Amino acid sequence: LIRKRILRITDTHFSPFQNIKNLSSMSSSERDQTIIDSLNAIKKRVDASHSKTSTKEVRLVAVSKTKPSWMIQACYNAGHRHFGENYVKELVEKAPQLPQDIYWHFIGKLQTNKCKHIANIPNLAVVETVDSLKLALALDKAAAERESPLKIFIQVNTSDEETKNGVEPEECVELVQKVVSQAPHLKFSGLMTIGKFGPNPEEDFKKLVSCREAVAKSLNVNPLDLELSMGMSGDFEVAIEHGSTNVRVGSSIFGERDYSQS
């Protein structure tokens, strides 16, 4: 279900990767330019949606899971710095090969026994998928030696789908409070969700906004100081319209993924 959602393309937008099968016949400079053109097309759509809102900033995270490092490097050379990975093994392998001023976002399911592996990556910017106190405490322990607290988002299952990870919306405030009080090496920075696949993801985004309001009230902070990570290739424009500060776009930039390599 999640894979299908990632691969969905909105009706009237076309990506340079409609001809992705031709990449193998291109020169390296042509391949790089194809990636950059696709990235810039998404950036323009992000900017257009952002201009209709009062949100201070919207960050584009280029999701590079299963993709080779040269694709990430091409985006980096064009000025992009935020990239997302779903698999611990891939992130651990790619991070040392690429520039150290990249901001890595871990956006996949994280097992407690793998926390130490990603916490050792100096330029890991945020773990977006913390969904239990057990995971938070394991990550807190793994992050103890970092120079500064590791940013995390709490993942919320706004669509109530069994196939998706995340804390239930009504349990979000309690989990955040426990993480803030019991995990000193983590910095709670916002909430994340994956909206339900289909033509109307708005309800899930509205739920995450409501969760942020409740969490902010419980912590006595301004809701706008907490991030909302919501929106992917098929719905990021709708997510931005509902206040997203962090959109995760992969296939619309890099083309469809080869899961046989993951």
Side-chain angles (χ1 to χ4, degrees):
L1 177 62
I2 294 175
R3 181 185 173 187
K4 289 180 180 178
R5 179 176 181 77
I6 293 172
L7 297 181
R8 185 160 61 95
I9 299 175
T10 49
D11 294 339
T12 60
H13 299 288
F14 297 90
S15 164
F17 275 93
Q18 287 178 317
N19 296 318
I20 190 170
K21 292 182 180 179
N22 295 328
L23 276 180
S24 60
S25 63
M26 295 180 184
S27 68
S28 60
S29 60
E30 289 173 331
R31 292 187 312 175
D32 287 358
Q33 191 58 53
T34 301
I35 294 284
I36 293 168
D37 289 346
S38 190
L39 173 68
N40 287 338
I42 295 300
K43 283 185 173 181
K44 287 181 180 179
R45 290 169 58 187
V46 168
D47 290 344
S49 295
H50 183 205
S51 68
K52 303 173 186 176
T53 74
S54 59
T55 305
K56 184 176 180 181
E57 180 182 359
V58 178
R59 179 188 307 108
L60 171 61
V61 178
V63 180
S64 47
K65 68 176 182 180
T66 79
K67 294 302 180 180
S69 293
W70 71 262
M71 289 189 172
I72 301 171
Q73 187 68 53
C75 292
Y76 177 90
N77 292 344
H80 199 70
R81 293 294 181 269
H82 289 267
F83 296 89
E85 289 289 338
N86 288 63
Y87 305 119
V88 172
K89 183 175 182 292
E90 271 197 82
L91 179 55
V92 169
E93 290 176 351
K94 289 176 179 177
Q97 301 173 10
L98 291 157
Q100 292 303 294
D101 60 338
I102 282 177
Y103 296 92
W104 291 107
H105 294 236
F106 186 78
I107 60 173
K109 175 65 176 175
L110 180 61
Q111 297 175 319
T112 55
N113 64 343
K114 298 293 180 65
C115 288
K116 61 182 179 181
H117 299 302
I118 63 170
N120 287 334
I121 298 171
N123 53 330
L124 175 66
V126 58
V127 176
E128 297 198 16
T129 49
V130 175
D131 61 0
S132 71
L133 182 61
K134 179 182 178 181
L135 177 58
L137 294 178
L139 194 57
D140 179 73
K141 181 179 179 180
E145 301 302 319
R146 291 177 66 91
E147 292 184 0
S148 59
L150 176 61
K151 287 178 61 176
I152 66 161
F153 297 160
I154 297 297
Q155 183 174 358
V156 184
N157 186 350
T158 54
S159 60
D160 195 30
E161 294 176 89
E162 293 182 1
T163 56
K164 290 180 182 174
N165 300 311
V167 64
E168 297 300 316
E170 59 270 18
E171 298 173 359
C172 183
V173 169
E174 181 181 1
L175 177 57
V176 170
Q177 290 176 331
K178 289 180 177 178
V179 169
V180 169
S181 64
Q182 298 181 38
H185 305 295
L186 303 182
K187 181 181 180 181
F188 168 68
S189 301
L191 305 175
M192 177 269 213
T193 196
I194 300 172
K196 190 173 184 178
F197 175 70
N200 299 304
E202 293 93 341
E203 291 306 312
D204 292 322
F205 300 151
K206 290 177 181 178
K207 282 184 182 179
L208 199 68
V209 172
S210 295
C211 285
R212 181 175 67 171
E213 295 289 336
V215 167
K217 183 177 180 180
S218 75
L219 298 178
N220 195 29
V221 300
N222 186 333
L224 298 181
D225 290 337
L226 301 177
E227 293 210 43
L228 292 176
S229 177
M230 56 189 194
M232 303 195 305
S233 285
D235 58 16
F236 69 86
E237 287 154 315
V238 177
I240 291 171
E241 291 172 9
H242 284 81
S244 179
T245 63
N246 189 84
V247 294
R248 312 175 305 272
V249 180
S251 58
S252 292
I253 296 173
F254 297 110
E256 294 187 5
R257 300 186 178 96
D258 181 1
Y259 284 89
S260 67
Q261 303 300 314
S262 62

